[in-house]
Amino acid sequence: MNVHGSASERHDPSSLYSPASVALLEPLYQAMQAHASDIAAFFHQHADQDAILRDILPRMLSEPELERFKSWQTGNLLDLAAPDLTPERHRSEALRLGHLYTQLGLPQLDLMRGQEILHRAVEQSIDTHEHARALAVVSQRLMCSLAWQAEAYQRMQNQRQNLLQEIIRLVWETDNYADLIARTAAILVRHDGLTGCSFAKPDAQGIFHYEYIAGTPQTRQCLIEIDAHSNMPGAYDEEGGHEHGTMGRAWFNTRTEYSLNVDLDPRMRRWQPFFTLHGDFRSIVAIPLCRADDIPISVLCLYGKYPGGLVSTDQKAFVEQLRTLLLFACTQLHKLSGPIPGMSYNARQRWAALIQQGQGLRMRYQPVISLAKGVPLGIYALAHLQDGDQDLPPSTVQPLLSSDEFFTFYSLGINQAMADRESWRRAGLGDRRLGVNLRYRALGDPRYLREIQAAMARHGCPAHLLTLHVLDLPEPSEGLDAAAAKTLAQIKDLGINITADDLGTGHSSLERLRQLPFNTIKIDRSIVSLVDKDPTSVLFFIHRLTRLGHTLGKIVLVEGVDSADMLEAVAVLQADAVQGAAVCPLLSAEQMKDWLKEAPALILPAHNHPRSKLAKLASLLLWEERLHLMLEKAAGVCAGSAQTQTLGPPLPFLAARSHQRQLFSAARDHGLHSDVYRAARRHFIAQLFREETLIS
């Protein structure tokens, strides 16, 4: 059957609604009205033969609603026999019914079986021989109704496919989680069967919070009220059973969960007061964004206008496609930006309002110190957000803002930083170099470079005194975005300095350094912060990357140097500059002004007399490097020569030369990469950190 109205063409509307048909239908309509109670009784009696009435609707509707549905179907059949039915009203009503049926998730073939039962009810109640021709007209009208209902089904299917196409485009275009969920929600709420949608996840205490809410005012208000009272609804625990609710079950089961009727579902009883007071939805679909048995990134909830909630086969296919697309998008964002943090919708809205109103910005500053001269090379600026008593760093704020909100925040921050820099200059504290962050993905957005140039002109900041710290660089295998590469070249041409921030490890770092126009590389605090857990690996990383940077003519800056021991070790490893609490904590603009007035030059211990354990461990790394070169050179000389009998280059902090002799012998006889040498080295470092006989 063609679902686009061809049935109505075969059964010519002019014949189904003509005066002749009206004359035929008058007696039938009167007979059906007279026997309406008998028809209804037969239909109700045989309802168990209808899969919809027997299996589907009892799970969606209350008993009174189910009885009204049965009466409604009987009334629809009676309407088909109405003599005054017009083609326009017939089509309009059939499309409306088809729309309703598809929203309820009722299979169309099963609806046809219900119509068969109704026909049998009519046959049992009236003289079919007397009204044969009139019943034939009703049957033809019924065929038109079914065709138009099928058209309504197809319209809904087309709408779902169009929504999915929009989300596919969104997935490929979006590199921001806040944008992803907000724009996805804006698309989904255009679905005719939904009053709204939300993204949610539990906090550390197991309380669900809505990350984003969209929909009708009633739906939004209902969910905002639930979020505001999250110490009651939304809690989950392993023994909670039916108290989990739809979101909790989806989170734990990692399967799509349905509440077919929130008013009847006993598992939703903790939320029902909110639904009754504020809600305008009847069903919920909770979709966990995760692979099977994995921890969800979030739970997407769809709120249905009708009971049922996307339960038909084609609707479930839509839900599964939606889940797959959003999971893919979240996985890609995780690769770009790391774990996706959670945040309540109310807090997110509060932050957005603070930013849009130009409030809440708090600039924090930290000097970048030259290790050679002990004086500031520049001042690094960070834009924090003040939310009540909370002082939030950009690493917390940025992932939770939309791209437009973050641009506004960035614009406020760079202008404030340049204004503060100018105030220091006017106070006679020097024409300081200013460093500000710029995320790699922002390079593809022309607004950022325009705003940077406008801020420089507005506050009189020369290009050579601005450094942009570019974060979140892609791996070489991913390639540079053409727009980003063009912007980097423009920045370089303007004379602005560029620092490669948050640099990774291994060959990918070297490749990026070689390809991109950076003046400086920055070893990230996330690496440095591991020094207490694995000091050897951290110092080795800093040493190797410093060597690579110097080979390529780059300045090497180490961030997150928060202890005097680490400061000395980084100096031993010959990095060029440091930033961290060991020199100066993050300060406000006024505090930074006072620091610049009073800060003395930084004085470090001599490299040949390391004092801290970390500095001595750094000296050991340099000793091994020199020893490697010495042993390679000695390999060209006959074995047993005087050169191979030395202790190698001196370790300046050793009191007992026997420890150095053991290390040297293991390296000479077995190689620096041998198990024997590694064992000797572990023993040496263990003694060093216990300070047993090694401290000179």
Side-chain angles (χ1 to χ4, degrees):
M1 178 186 297
N2 187 312
V3 297
H4 298 287
S6 63
S8 64
E9 295 168 4
R10 289 195 300 270
H11 306 290
D12 184 2
S14 63
S15 65
L16 297 181
Y17 313 98
S18 66
S21 293
V22 169
L24 288 173
L25 290 170
E26 284 283 4
L28 173 64
Y29 187 67
Q30 293 176 8
M32 290 177 66
Q33 282 186 314
H35 294 86
S37 58
D38 298 330
I39 294 171
F42 183 93
F43 181 59
H44 286 213
Q45 183 180 356
H46 294 81
D48 61 344
Q49 299 174 20
D50 181 355
I52 290 177
L53 296 174
R54 183 186 66 240
D55 302 326
I56 300 176
L57 288 178
R59 295 186 293 131
M60 300 182 188
L61 306 178
S62 65
E63 289 188 13
E65 288 175 324
L66 184 58
E67 291 305 310
R68 284 198 297 273
F69 184 87
K70 294 176 183 178
S71 298
W72 185 37
Q73 280 196 300
T74 306
N76 290 335
L77 181 62
L78 189 63
D79 287 343
L80 289 178
D84 61 348
L85 182 65
T86 65
E88 295 76 20
R89 183 159 62 88
H90 187 186
R91 174 178 168 80
S92 174
E93 183 64 14
L95 288 173
R96 188 183 70 81
L97 289 175
H99 179 80
L100 175 62
Y101 292 152
T102 190
Q103 298 295 5
L104 291 170
L106 304 181
Q108 193 178 16
L109 289 177
D110 287 346
L111 284 169
M112 293 176 67
R113 295 189 188 100
Q115 295 294 334
E116 292 173 4
I117 298 173
L118 276 172
H119 269 283
R120 286 163 48 201
V122 171
E123 291 171 355
Q124 293 290 324
S125 304
I126 65 174
D127 187 339
T128 57
H129 180 74
E130 178 185 350
H131 300 288
R133 292 177 62 193
L135 286 171
V137 173
V138 172
S139 295
Q140 292 173 14
R141 286 183 172 185
L142 176 60
M143 293 299 293
C144 289
S145 292
L146 293 174
W148 285 323
Q149 288 173 21
E151 181 180 342
Y153 272 74
Q154 188 60 46
R155 284 182 181 181
M156 287 302 303
Q157 179 69 2
N158 292 343
Q159 184 193 59
R160 287 192 290 268
Q161 290 305 312
N162 291 336
L163 296 178
L164 286 174
Q165 288 299 319
E166 290 188 54
I167 292 173
I168 288 172
R169 288 194 293 271
L170 173 63
V171 164
W172 288 109
E173 293 171 358
T174 304
D175 56 12
N176 176 288
Y177 180 67
D179 281 347
L180 175 70
I181 61 177
R183 292 173 62 186
T184 296
I187 292 170
L188 290 175
V189 294
R190 301 207 314 268
H191 189 294
D192 285 344
L194 300 179
T195 69
C197 71
S198 70
F199 288 83
K201 66 173 62 171
D203 61 17
Q205 287 72 46
I207 307 298
F208 272 102
H209 290 285
Y210 297 103
E211 299 181 283
Y212 196 82
I213 296 169
T216 64
Q218 296 94 323
T219 292
R220 293 201 308 272
Q221 183 61 32
C222 179
L223 301 183
I224 288 170
E225 288 290 328
I226 288 174
D227 201 50
H229 295 81
S230 56
N231 59 345
M232 188 275 286
Y236 72 86
D237 57 76
E238 290 290 357
E239 299 178 356
H242 64 273
E243 299 293 340
H244 286 163
T246 313
M247 285 189 301
R249 296 196 307 276
W251 181 272
F252 275 116
N253 299 339
T254 66
R255 298 190 304 268
T256 299
E257 292 285 340
Y258 294 82
S259 181
L260 301 183
N261 188 325
V262 296
D263 298 326
L264 303 179
D265 190 343
R267 297 170 299 183
M268 302 300 292
R269 64 188 182 197
R270 298 173 73 177
W271 293 267
Q272 283 164 355
F274 294 92
F275 301 154
T276 301
L277 187 61
H278 301 291
D280 61 346
F281 51 87
R282 298 294 306 279
S283 58
I284 302 176
V285 183
I287 309 166
L289 302 183
C290 64
R291 295 182 178 86
D293 300 324
D294 202 354
I295 297 175
I297 296 167
S298 185
V299 176
L300 167 62
C301 291
L302 307 178
Y303 302 95
K305 291 180 183 178
Y306 305 98
L310 303 175
V311 294
S312 69
T313 301
D314 55 343
Q315 289 169 329
K316 286 185 175 180
F318 167 75
V319 167
E320 187 56 35
Q321 288 174 286
L322 182 60
R323 169 176 169 155
T324 301
L325 285 171
L326 294 179
L327 175 59
F328 171 78
C330 290
T331 302
Q332 295 302 108
L333 289 175
H334 185 279
K335 289 179 181 178
L336 284 172
S337 307
I340 297 172
M343 180 186 179
S344 76
Y345 175 77
N346 291 338
R348 187 189 297 276
Q349 296 299 98
R350 188 171 63 250
W351 288 11
L354 285 172
I355 291 167
Q356 293 301 326
Q357 296 163 10
Q359 302 174 356
L361 175 71
R362 299 292 183 271
M363 294 306 298
R364 299 289 180 260
Y365 300 96
Q366 198 169 47
V368 175
I369 303 296
S370 165
L371 289 174
K373 298 180 180 179
V375 297
L377 292 174
I379 308 298
Y380 180 68
L382 279 173
H384 286 221
L385 182 68
Q386 192 74 33
D387 180 20
D389 295 334
Q390 290 185 295
D391 186 42
L392 304 166
S395 58
T396 299
V397 175
Q398 190 274 335
L400 300 171
L401 299 179
S402 71
S403 54
D404 287 342
E405 291 163 352
F406 186 71
F407 172 74
T408 301
F409 192 56
Y410 187 87
S411 175
L412 293 170
I414 194 169
N415 278 279
Q416 185 61 58
M418 289 188 177
D420 290 337
R421 173 196 170 279
E422 178 62 12
S423 73
W424 302 330
R425 187 190 68 79
R426 290 178 178 175
L429 299 175
D431 210 8
R432 299 288 177 177
R433 182 184 300 279
L434 180 68
V436 295
N437 287 339
L438 181 65
R439 294 196 171 270
Y440 169 78
R441 294 191 299 281
L443 293 171
D445 186 339
R447 294 180 299 174
Y448 283 86
L449 182 54
R450 287 199 299 265
E451 186 60 29
I452 289 167
Q453 291 177 281
M456 289 166 59
R458 193 176 295 125
H459 301 285
C461 178
H464 72 279
L465 290 181
L466 176 63
T467 298
L468 296 178
H469 296 249
V470 181
L471 287 71
D472 302 330
L473 288 163
E475 292 296 328
S477 59
E478 299 172 6
L480 276 180
D481 177 82
K486 180 181 178 181
T487 302
L488 278 175
Q490 290 174 326
I491 291 170
K492 192 70 174 177
D493 290 342
L494 289 170
I496 298 171
N497 297 284
I498 310 174
T499 293
D501 211 323
D502 300 347
L503 208 60
T505 60
H507 297 293
S508 63
S509 298
L510 176 61
E511 184 69 12
R512 285 192 295 197
L513 291 176
R514 185 184 65 78
Q515 289 181 346
L516 302 177
F518 295 118
N519 310 93
T520 303
I521 63 171
K522 189 174 185 180
I523 301 174
D524 186 57
R525 66 169 54 251
S526 63
I527 299 296
V528 178
S529 66
L530 300 174
V531 71
D532 292 336
K533 296 180 179 179
D534 191 355
T536 304
S537 296
V538 170
L539 294 180
F540 180 81
F541 175 89
I542 294 172
H543 174 51
R544 288 300 186 195
L545 198 51
T546 299
R547 286 285 186 267
L548 290 173
H550 288 165
T551 299
L552 295 171
K554 313 292 184 183
I555 296 170
V556 178
L557 165 62
V558 183
E559 181 188 32
V561 178
D562 293 337
S563 70
D565 287 4
M566 190 64 188
L567 176 62
E568 186 186 4
V570 169
V572 168
L573 295 174
Q574 301 172 16
D576 300 295
V578 294
Q579 177 187 329
V583 177
C584 178
L586 282 172
L587 302 174
S588 68
E590 283 301 312
Q591 291 170 329
M592 191 74 245
K593 181 185 288 188
D594 294 338
W595 187 90
L596 290 170
K597 289 176 183 177
E598 303 171 0
L602 178 67
I603 300 175
L604 294 167
H607 290 184
N608 57 351
H609 289 93
R611 294 183 302 198
S612 69
K613 297 174 185 178
L614 287 177
K616 290 172 182 177
L617 184 55
S619 295
L620 175 62
L621 294 177
L622 298 182
W623 177 81
E624 288 180 325
E625 186 176 61
R626 294 193 297 271
L627 178 61
H628 175 72
L629 295 174
M630 177 181 289
L631 292 176
E632 277 195 342
K633 183 177 180 180
V637 184
C638 62
S641 68
Q643 188 172 4
T644 60
Q645 297 302 318
T646 70
L647 295 179
L651 270 169
F653 58 85
L654 276 178
R657 301 289 283 175
S658 60
H659 295 293
Q660 183 174 347
R661 184 177 293 109
Q662 292 170 3
L663 273 180
F664 175 74
S665 298
R668 180 195 61 199
D669 298 339
H670 302 280
L672 281 165
H673 301 295
S674 67
D675 291 339
V676 173
Y677 178 77
R678 281 194 286 266
R681 187 175 187 274
R682 284 195 299 271
H683 177 68
F684 181 88
I685 292 173
Q687 288 184 307
L688 169 63
F689 275 77
R690 288 198 301 268
E691 299 183 319
E692 292 180 3
T693 72
L694 297 182
I695 307 301
S696 58

